Amino acid sequence: MKIFIFENVAECSGNYHSDGGAVIIAESIEAAKELIADISEFEPTDEEWENVEMFNISDVTKPKYWIMPNAGCC
């Protein structure tokens, strides 16, 4: 398994603030993209995928994802 960490994604949620971070755990980038395909509010760009931090992990046994929207208030 691999962990993909997005520090800042332009379209992360429908909240007031559009930026936010995200973490995805999946076998590959293709599997990660498939895992989040149905989340209309979270659509990383090709450039964001090119800049994602990726690490191999061995203690996770099934794909997961977390969305961390920037929900702070001005």
Side-chain angles (χ1 to χ4, degrees), residues 8-9 12-21 67-74:
N8 192 12
V9 181
C12 194
S13 78
N15 292 344
Y16 177 75
H17 294 277
S18 59
D19 297 334
I67 304 299
M68 301 171 289
N70 181 359
C73 186
C74 297

Side-chain angles (χ1 to χ4, degrees), residues 9-65:
V9 181
E11 294 297 325
C12 194
S13 78
N15 292 344
Y16 177 75
H17 294 277
S18 59
D19 297 334
V23 174
I24 304 170
I25 296 175
E27 294 276 341
S28 64
I29 286 180
E30 294 77 17
K33 289 179 178 181
E34 185 176 323
L35 183 64
I36 63 167
D38 293 335
I39 305 173
S40 62
E41 295 174 334
F42 177 50
E43 297 179 12
T45 64
D46 289 341
E47 183 177 347
E48 288 166 337
W49 277 109
E50 289 173 14
N51 294 320
V52 70
E53 290 192 56
M54 180 187 70
F55 304 95
N56 289 315
I57 53 174
S58 59
D59 57 343
V60 177
T61 59
K62 69 178 196 175
K64 296 182 181 187
Y65 67 85

